[in-house]
Amino acid sequence: MKMTNKEYQKYVDEISPKTRMPMRLICAFLVGGAICTLGQVLRDMYEHFGLEPEAAGSASSISLVFLAAFFTALGLYDNLAKYAGAGTLVPITGFSNSMVSPAMEFKSEGMITGVAAKMFTISGPVLVYGISASVLYGIVLTVLR
């Protein structure tokens, strides 16, 4: 079957599933906002029980990471991500999910060659580029001062 580029593009457009972009954006916004609101509620709760603001912020971050890992282990976080898309990736919970998912998937290969080796498969590049960008930014800022 020989096709031109235009014919192929038309064919792809016909068989590709249609996305409802406005609805997906709204879902991502609402779920991401709900996760961030939960973080603020946790922070306020920790402050109410006597933690200093900085410690309450750390405790709320730890709680969100734990909850995301727990819900990933139960298989619930992935279902939420299918519905909310990027709304679950942006907050700190997305990082937790990106660490736990590969670790769970490869646990049958053992603790070293499975869990430990594959845990940073998704989040590793994020860490490398994030740290590299912050170092570069720090150098530029130091030179410009």
Side-chain angles (χ1 to χ4, degrees), residues 4-5 51 65 67 71-72 84 86 93-95 104-105 112 120 131:
T4 65
N5 285 343
L51 286 179
V65 167
L67 288 171
F71 289 130
T72 298
T93 54
F95 179 76
M104 288 180 52
E105 184 176 342
I112 303 298
F120 293 100
I131 292 168

Side-chain angles (χ1 to χ4, degrees), residues 121-134:
T121 302
I122 298 171
S123 59
V126 174
L127 291 171
V128 168
Y129 287 110
I131 292 168
S132 301
S134 66

Side-chain angles (χ1 to χ4, degrees), residues 28-42:
F29 176 77
L30 292 175
V31 171
I35 292 170
C36 294
T37 301
L38 174 63
Q40 186 63 48
V41 167
L42 288 169

Side-chain angles (χ1 to χ4, degrees), residues 22-105:
M23 189 60 170
R24 296 199 46 103
L25 290 172
I26 291 169
C27 289
F29 176 77
L30 292 175
V31 171
I35 292 170
C36 294
T37 301
L38 174 63
Q40 186 63 48
V41 167
L42 288 169
R43 181 185 173 120
D44 292 345
M45 182 187 72
Y46 288 130
E47 282 185 29
H48 176 76
F49 288 119
L51 286 179
E52 297 295 322
E54 188 173 318
S58 297
S60 63
S61 294
I62 290 168
S63 297
L64 287 173
V65 167
F66 170 77
L67 288 171
F70 181 70
F71 289 130
T72 298
L74 294 177
L76 300 174
Y77 199 87
D78 292 336
N79 292 336
L80 180 63
K82 287 176 188 172
Y83 171 75
T88 58
L89 297 176
V90 174
I92 194 170
T93 54
F95 179 76
S96 177
N97 176 262
S98 72
M99 296 274 300
V100 174
S101 291
M104 288 180 52
E105 184 176 342

